[in-house]
Amino acid sequence: MIVMSELWPQLLAFTHFSPSVRVPRLILSPQEPESLPSHSSQVIMSRKVVRTSKFRHVFGQALKADQCYDDIRISQMTWDSNFCSVNPKFVAMIVDASGGGAFIVLPLSKTGRIDMSLPTVCGHTGPVLDIEFCPHNDNIIASGSEDCSVMIWEIPDGGLISPLKDPVVKLEGHSKRVGILSWHPTAHNVLMSAGCDNVVILWNVARGEAVVRIDSMHTDLIYSACWNRNGSQILTSCKDKKLRVIDPRKGSVICEKDKPHEGSRPVRAVFVSDGKILTTGFSRMSERQVALWDPNNFSEPLNLQELDTSSGVLLPFFDPDTGVVYLCGKGDSSIRYFEVTDEAPYVHYLSMYSSKESQKGMGYMPKRGLEVNKCEIARFYKLHERKCEPIVMTVPRKSDLFQEDLYPDTIGPEPSVEADDWFAGKNGEPILISLKDGFVATTKNKEFKVIKSLMATTSSSSSYRQSDSVDVQALQKEVKELREMVEQLTKRVDELESK
């Protein structure tokens, strides 16, 4: 038996007892090792407590100043949309404009200080409220405005060289401002718009016509509207405190939830994996909340968490490949991210990216635009008052090789069904691509085909364009000649100045 007599003074000081009091001696017996837990058993216990996840150590990092987009006057409109849309070619941002609404479209490589005289897309007569790039064609972008119209624009490959005022298609059908736009994930040329007239319209963009009009369902302002993975359902949140899952072609409610959050402030909702629904909203005490719901049983949430007491609306971005949802609050200076799994408690907090400046909007890059060799699983484009700052979310890995567990096959740019077939009742699952060999070839082939078919269809529905096709070609030829002349004159001026 080994008596630890040297611990006697410390034990007396700790217990504040007098020396006359009997204090049990601390004895370590070599014959009884089980009397104290071993180090290995403590490690095993701790491992059981911590949930294993490959995304536990995801961290966010802002790119350097020379990779940001500076001196951009971001719109001051108080509207809870993203104000930014991005794809592997371009980044688009809604900007302040006098005498109407405008947004700029920049090639991703055009970083640094942006010239004030840069041409904009300026065809709207009222402020632009929402913009979204087409998922099947990186050169097509839709915009919704206070002038009650939706416009479809075609951006040339190198970006704009002059102000773009004439849209490819103008869609008119709303009686109040249009604040929500969302392209169909799998059907070609199908666009959803929602306006402040409480109406949801599904457009066949190629024909320039409203095919489905849902006008008697929502009794108040629509806060958000989105598609599920294959575009067979729509999810809306409304000021009447109802969450609705809608059959878009029938215009009927599949199921609905009254008061997903008790507070009166705006609610946002998105579909996540396995058809579940994630919502962000406010409690009765104005605390921000995030909740997960099963549409088959709307009575109680699968998970409900209170986050903080900030007033900004939380914009959710869900990545179906990793199961990670990112919450970006307007006016916040942070991005929280959670992992959604099929085991309780279903929504697991991962971490938070924090910065000093608050965000006025946020763009989210599609998976096919990420740098896979750097283990980048998400990239955001954060809008400040005068600049756009890319933020990269990375999983720390030592190897530069392609990580198959981080990048399962993801949604590609190819649509799986045409607009007419989808409106007739045909559904199409997303066509997946591997990120291991890149996506460039597929995108290039589709671009040519999509632009050609879109332009052909829209011109056939607009008789004046069809009859003027010869004049357009003549004008294009003339513009080309003028450009060559300007280049020659510029060279001549440079030569004279050098002398």
Side-chain angles (χ1 to χ4, degrees):
M1 306 292 282
I2 305 169
V3 180
M4 305 294 288
S5 57
E6 61 268 23
L7 293 178
W8 178 259
Q10 287 91 331
L11 285 169
L12 287 176
F14 178 74
T15 53
H16 301 287
F17 291 152
S18 65
S20 60
V21 178
R22 286 185 63 187
V23 179
R25 289 181 297 170
L26 184 59
I27 299 173
L28 293 178
S29 173
Q31 288 83 15
E32 298 175 358
E34 67 275 4
S35 60
L36 287 175
S38 67
H39 176 69
S40 60
S41 65
Q42 288 178 343
V43 172
I44 292 168
M45 286 174 67
S46 66
R47 278 180 187 162
K48 287 180 181 175
V49 172
V50 178
R51 191 181 66 88
T52 57
S53 168
K54 65 186 91 167
F55 304 111
R56 270 181 58 211
H57 302 292
V58 171
F59 67 95
Q61 190 170 24
L63 296 187
K64 294 178 181 176
D66 61 345
Q67 294 174 287
C68 296
Y69 307 86
D70 283 317
D71 213 13
I72 299 168
R73 294 175 299 145
I74 302 299
S75 174
Q76 300 294 320
M77 287 295 295
T78 54
W79 185 256
D80 289 327
S81 71
N82 298 348
F83 281 20
C84 179
S85 185
V86 62
N87 66 26
K89 275 188 176 183
F90 302 106
V91 56
M93 294 161 273
I94 303 174
V95 294
D96 264 340
S98 56
F103 59 96
I104 60 169
V105 181
L106 302 171
L108 287 185
S109 58
K110 192 176 175 63
T111 54
R113 187 178 176 278
I114 305 302
D115 196 341
M116 293 280 285
S117 61
L118 190 84
T120 60
V121 182
C122 51
H124 285 287
T125 57
V128 177
L129 300 178
D130 198 13
I131 50 176
E132 186 169 348
F133 277 109
C134 176
H136 309 125
N137 185 336
D138 290 341
N139 294 67
I140 298 294
I141 186 169
S143 61
S145 167
E146 273 199 358
D147 63 11
C148 310
S149 69
V150 176
M151 293 185 183
I152 312 297
W153 310 87
E154 184 189 3
I155 309 299
D157 273 341
L160 298 177
I161 55 173
S162 61
L164 189 57
K165 298 180 181 179
D166 298 317
V168 178
V169 188
K170 185 175 182 180
L171 307 172
E172 294 180 304
H174 287 282
S175 60
K176 291 186 179 179
R177 59 183 179 175
V178 183
I180 299 170
L181 296 175
S182 183
W183 289 93
H184 195 285
T186 61
H188 190 207
N189 290 337
V190 175
L191 177 69
M192 169 173 62
S193 66
C196 293
D197 50 5
N198 312 335
V199 175
V200 175
I201 299 179
L202 304 183
W203 305 88
N204 184 332
V205 172
R207 297 185 184 279
E209 60 186 24
V211 182
V212 177
R213 185 181 175 90
I214 305 170
D215 54 6
S216 57
M217 184 180 296
H218 300 90
T219 59
D220 212 327
L221 181 67
I222 300 168
Y223 285 140
S224 71
C226 69
W227 302 91
N228 65 349
R229 186 172 169 83
N230 70 352
S232 60
Q233 295 178 355
I234 289 173
L235 173 64
T236 65
S237 61
C238 183
K239 197 175 180 180
D240 63 9
K241 295 192 177 181
K242 285 189 178 179
L243 197 66
R244 296 176 175 89
V245 180
I246 302 167
D247 183 322
R249 286 164 290 208
K250 293 179 182 176
S252 58
V253 177
I254 299 171
C255 56
E256 65 180 18
K257 168 65 180 173
D258 197 24
K259 290 188 178 179
H261 297 273
E262 292 291 333
S264 58
R265 306 222 51 223
V267 171
R268 289 299 181 107
V270 289
F271 280 108
V272 294
S273 49
D274 300 324
K276 294 185 179 69
I277 293 168
L278 185 129
T279 61
T280 63
F282 294 81
S283 69
R284 195 171 290 169
M285 303 299 292
S286 293
E287 295 168 307
R288 290 199 295 195
Q289 297 176 324
V290 57
L292 188 70
W293 305 87
D294 183 356
N296 299 317
N297 182 14
F298 259 144
S299 57
E300 290 293 329
L302 297 172
N303 184 290
L304 178 66
Q305 297 182 31
E306 291 186 346
L307 303 177
D308 54 30
T309 54
S310 296
S311 59
V313 176
L314 286 167
L315 309 175
F317 298 91
F318 178 67
D319 179 2
D321 300 334
T322 60
V324 177
V325 63
Y326 304 87
L327 303 184
C328 310
K330 288 205 97 174
D332 288 8
S333 56
S334 61
I335 302 172
R336 288 183 177 86
Y337 35 106
F338 300 78
E339 188 176 359
V340 181
T341 65
D342 54 2
E343 58 186 31
Y346 305 106
V347 181
H348 309 271
Y349 175 76
L350 291 173
S351 188
M352 180 168 66
Y353 164 80
S354 296
S355 59
K356 292 180 180 177
E357 294 197 42
S358 61
Q359 55 225 18
K360 293 179 66 65
M362 194 70 75
Y364 180 62
M365 174 68 81
K367 214 51 172 293
R368 56 194 174 92
L370 303 181
E371 294 187 39
V372 294
N373 61 328
K374 295 182 179 177
C375 297
E376 185 181 333
I377 61 165
R379 192 189 310 158
F380 291 93
Y381 285 75
K382 174 183 173 180
L383 301 186
H384 300 245
E385 281 196 13
R386 298 285 296 188
K387 76 171 182 177
C388 174
E389 177 185 46
I391 297 167
V392 173
M393 297 290 178
T394 308
V395 177
R397 293 278 172 97
K398 292 181 180 177
S399 172
D400 287 337
L401 298 175
F402 181 74
Q403 307 288 320
E404 292 188 8
D405 61 325
L406 297 183
Y407 301 104
D409 288 354
T410 190
I411 297 174
E414 195 80 18
S416 57
V417 61
E418 288 298 321
D420 292 334
D421 296 331
W422 184 81
F423 281 114
K426 181 182 177 183
N427 284 326
E429 292 300 319
I431 297 175
L432 304 181
I433 58 170
S434 170
L435 295 178
K436 188 170 185 178
D437 303 317
F439 60 92
V440 178
T442 310
T443 309
K444 281 183 179 175
N445 293 339
K446 190 60 194 170
E447 269 170 24
F448 177 74
K449 195 168 80 175
V450 170
I451 292 173
K452 191 175 179 182
S453 65
L454 179 64
M455 295 301 288
T457 316
T458 49
S459 59
S460 65
S461 65
S462 307
S463 56
Y464 75 91
R465 284 187 189 169
Q466 197 172 25
S467 61
D468 289 350
S469 60
V470 178
D471 295 338
V472 169
Q473 289 175 2
L475 284 169
Q476 287 175 341
K477 186 179 178 182
E478 191 177 339
V479 167
K480 188 178 179 182
E481 290 171 354
L482 287 169
R483 279 183 189 162
E484 290 173 356
M485 192 184 298
V486 167
E487 285 177 7
Q488 289 173 0
L489 289 170
T490 306
K491 285 180 183 177
R492 178 67 178 149
V493 167
D494 290 338
E495 288 172 6
L496 289 170
E497 284 179 348
S498 62
K499 289 178 184 178

